Amino acid sequence: MGTIYITGHKNPDLDSVCSAYGYAKLMNLQDPDNTYVPIRCGHLSDSTRSILEQLDIDIPAYRRDIFPKVRDVMLSYDHKIDADDLLTVVAAIYEKDSPSAIPVFENNDFYGLLSVDDITNWTMRELSRDNKITTIPKVRHIMTDQGMRVEADELFDDAKALLQSSPKRGLAVFDENGYAGYVTRRCFLKTPKHSVILVDHNESRQSIQGIETANIVGIVDHHRLDAIKTDQPISIYAEPLGSTCTLVYQQFIRNNRTPDPVTAKVLLTGLIGDTLILKSPTTTGEDVVAAHVLASIAGVDMEQYGLSMFSHVEGLKSREPKSAIASDFKTYTEKGLKIGIGQCEVTTLNDLKDYADDYARTLEEIRTAHGLDWAHLMITDVIHEHSALICTKYKGNRYLPYKAIGVNIYDMPHVMSRKKQLLPEIIHVIE
Ligand SMILES: [Mn+2]
């Protein structure tokens, strides 16, 4: 029985979180011998969080990294040795499994880690004094100190180095609830590896920290392929569809399963989020079919649900420009020119002039901070299929094929996709 983590990319969006949730549901049905745990490796934006909260599910937990930890190799001990027990109690245990260390308690509280060295040292000390060992000592009397401690979340490599450089045979492990277990040198012979499935991404630099130390056992994705080399053969489900949630839905179907209504709604949410209610040019026929089937399983009207989802999206006027732009900002290098394009979704562009100057100023700050030549912010009205574009001052601005509606601000009717519509025009200008 093992644990397999399923994670989306950094700066998780709806598709990343929802596809991880849905794929874990499917895999727990398909493979009950293992436990599939959906996680996210970054913090949620306010609008993503508020949409997920409406779903009334356990939102995949945040996990900072996937490096092996002390917790992964920690031991527990069945026998409870008390500091006031006689050494004969310990002798009986040694005769059975000769452990190199045994945790010792004092009235149920952890007292210290008794090492085989404590026993040898005590015996040698007594014998060298030419004493005959006539009375059996209590455990506490042969322990010279209470040993060293380590946190359960300490990195495996750090704890290993600590133990190797110390004369100790073991370390007591503590977590937020107090004593959690112990580790001995033997625990560090082999580095444990977490098993991970990547959804909605496949490049390691977009993945959870420490992914290079993990075993990647599967990939479900709709992006370009730039995956890292794996040790084992793995399953890859990749197609250029509008969302990873569509691919997860198709895996349900391929395995003759139907997602339950809640899971269907979660998958629909990711699908609608990535395809902007099926209006983005990245949308394929398969996304349209999946969206309608998922909506009928979930018992919602697809269009209405999509609109209600985006109504949770906060207007840019009330958001903090820096975090709004940074929440979805991508950088590209074209012909030696470094450019950046952010995208924000809104439900109306009527209030654009109220915040455009603030956002233009912040965009210029972001451009300088990232060392970019040219930066853009695409503000997309998902309801009316219309975008506005704010650019930093650059000589290429005048060659953009859009109507200027202000200083370095442009009108882009029917433009929804950064990747498929805006980026090609920008590359064209650069060329
Ligand atoms: Mn996606």
Side-chain angles (χ1 to χ4, degrees), residues 200 202 219-225 236-247 250-251 254 282 284 286-287 419:
D200 200 32
N202 66 77
I219 295 172
V220 185
D221 190 22
H222 67 144
H223 291 97
R224 69 164 193 181
L225 195 66
I236 301 184
Y237 305 114
E239 287 213 48
L241 304 185
S243 92
T244 304
C245 284
T246 304
L247 289 164
Q250 292 180 342
Q251 288 306 313
R254 249 161 241 176
T282 55
T284 67
E286 292 174 64
D287 297 303
K419 187 170 63 182

Side-chain angles (χ1 to χ4, degrees), residues 240-243 246 271-272 274-289 291 417 420:
L241 304 185
S243 92
T246 304
L271 203 174
I272 285 175
D274 248 27
T275 61
L276 307 177
I277 328 184
L278 305 180
K279 287 171 191 156
S280 165
T282 55
T283 311
T284 67
E286 292 174 64
D287 297 303
V288 177
V289 171
S417 168
K420 281 207 159 176

Side-chain angles (χ1 to χ4, degrees), residues 291-344:
H292 286 95
V293 177
L294 289 169
S296 85
I297 299 169
V300 296
D301 178 274
M302 202 283 293
E303 188 80 28
Q304 246 171 38
Y305 177 63
L307 295 178
S308 82
M309 245 177 72
F310 282 104
S311 71
H312 291 290
V313 173
E314 233 184 314
L316 290 187
K317 202 160 67 173
S318 53
R319 292 181 67 183
E320 206 275 303
K322 200 172 169 188
S323 73
I325 299 172
S327 69
D328 184 10
F329 193 79
K330 293 189 172 152
T331 58
Y332 309 84
T333 303
E334 291 294 336
K335 303 264 173 207
L337 210 65
K338 289 170 89 178
I339 58 170
I341 313 175
Q343 186 172 19
C344 293

Side-chain angles (χ1 to χ4, degrees), residues 167-409:
K168 297 290 176 193
R169 287 182 185 260
L171 304 167
V173 182
F174 279 72
D175 65 12
E176 61 280 6
N177 302 317
Y179 172 79
Y182 68 104
V183 284
T184 65
R185 293 181 170 212
R186 195 173 295 169
C187 298
F188 294 95
L189 291 179
K190 193 164 170 272
T191 307
K193 279 185 161 206
H194 289 295
S195 294
V196 182
I197 293 174
L198 309 182
V199 293
D200 200 32
H201 73 296
N202 66 77
E203 299 183 33
S204 52
R205 63 192 177 86
Q206 295 172 353
S207 198
I208 188 166
Q209 276 193 64
I211 189 68
E212 64 282 359
T213 65
N215 248 335
I216 296 175
V217 298
I219 295 172
V220 185
D221 190 22
H222 67 144
H223 291 97
R224 69 164 193 181
L225 195 66
D226 190 12
I228 40 178
K229 197 173 160 187
T230 61
D231 296 342
Q232 306 284 326
I234 70 166
S235 311
I236 301 184
Y237 305 114
E239 287 213 48
L241 304 185
S243 92
T244 304
C245 284
T246 304
L247 289 164
V248 172
Y249 160 76
Q250 292 180 342
Q251 288 306 313
F252 269 93
I253 302 307
R254 249 161 241 176
N255 289 290
N256 289 317
R257 293 191 187 272
T258 308
D260 62 79
V262 172
T263 305
K265 197 168 176 184
V266 172
L267 290 173
L268 180 65
T269 301
L271 203 174
I272 285 175
D274 248 27
T275 61
L276 307 177
I277 328 184
L278 305 180
K279 287 171 191 156
S280 165
T282 55
T283 311
T284 67
E286 292 174 64
D287 297 303
V288 177
V289 171
H292 286 95
V293 177
L294 289 169
S296 85
I297 299 169
V300 296
D301 178 274
M302 202 283 293
E303 188 80 28
Q304 246 171 38
Y305 177 63
L307 295 178
S308 82
M309 245 177 72
F310 282 104
S311 71
H312 291 290
V313 173
E314 233 184 314
L316 290 187
K317 202 160 67 173
S318 53
R319 292 181 67 183
E320 206 275 303
K322 200 172 169 188
S323 73
I325 299 172
S327 69
D328 184 10
F329 193 79
K330 293 189 172 152
T331 58
Y332 309 84
T333 303
E334 291 294 336
K335 303 264 173 207
L337 210 65
K338 289 170 89 178
I339 58 170
I341 313 175
Q343 186 172 19
C344 293
E345 281 95 43
V346 294
T347 53
T348 177
L349 286 169
N350 288 342
D351 57 351
L352 177 66
K353 60 177 186 322
D354 299 342
Y355 58 77
D357 288 348
D358 270 353
Y359 277 72
R361 215 173 301 121
T362 308
L363 187 64
E364 175 58 29
E365 285 167 22
I366 290 175
R367 185 193 70 78
T368 317
H370 282 72
L372 302 171
D373 297 296
W374 198 9
H376 311 258
L377 176 64
M378 180 175 175
I379 302 162
T380 301
D381 178 343
V382 293
I383 311 290
H384 306 95
E385 298 180 51
H386 202 125
S387 295
L389 182 69
I390 300 177
C391 304
T392 55
K393 198 172 159 224
Y394 185 69
K395 57 182 188 271
N397 282 357
R398 73 173 97 156
Y399 299 109
L400 288 168
Y402 308 117
K403 186 177 151 231
I405 49 170
V407 182
N408 300 327
I409 304 177

